[in-house]
Amino acid sequence: MADLHKAIRAIHSNAVTINGYTKDDIVAVDSNGNNVTIDWTQVEAWTDPNEYQYKRAAEYPSVKDQLDKIYNDGVDKWKEEMIKPIKDKYPKP
């Protein structure tokens, strides 16, 4: 499931404070201290527009390995063999 706090903030822009970690205990509050009624259907359906970035970052080789590749094989091979496959696997939306 997506980060609930991030999804709530994306859908309910009036929420300034969010406490809790699960659907059962999360409470969102607006700037006047009023509880925000959370639309859980929208929250659960929300997709993080930056998800591809997190997935790419998790799969990229270490900086050390990337620098070794550049030094030994050049920038073109580094891009083609190490970077492009991951970018292709997780394209920008």
Side-chain angles (χ1 to χ4, degrees), residues 5-61:
H5 286 216
K6 195 170 183 180
I8 291 167
R9 288 186 193 284
I11 294 163
H12 301 287
S13 59
N14 59 329
V16 294
T17 304
I18 301 171
N19 293 310
Y21 297 99
T22 67
K23 189 175 168 180
D24 297 326
D25 69 357
I26 287 179
V27 176
V29 179
D30 67 15
S31 60
N32 296 321
N34 300 315
N35 284 353
V36 174
T37 302
I38 299 170
D39 182 339
W40 288 108
T41 302
Q42 283 190 347
V43 169
E44 291 171 345
W46 183 77
T47 303
D48 188 338
N50 299 319
E51 187 69 25
Y52 77 97
Q53 293 174 345
Y54 313 136
K55 289 179 178 179
R56 282 181 182 182
E59 284 201 33
Y60 283 138

Side-chain angles (χ1 to χ4, degrees), residues 73-88:
D73 299 332
V75 172
D76 290 337
K77 277 205 173 216
W78 164 75
K79 285 195 290 189
E80 194 62 34
E81 295 176 9
M82 289 186 122
I83 304 305
K84 189 176 183 318
I86 295 168
K87 286 184 178 255
D88 290 346

Side-chain angles (χ1 to χ4, degrees), residues 63-74:
V63 172
K64 178 188 176 296
D65 290 341
Q66 290 187 52
L67 289 173
D68 283 346
K69 182 71 169 178
I70 292 168
Y71 181 80
N72 293 318
D73 299 332

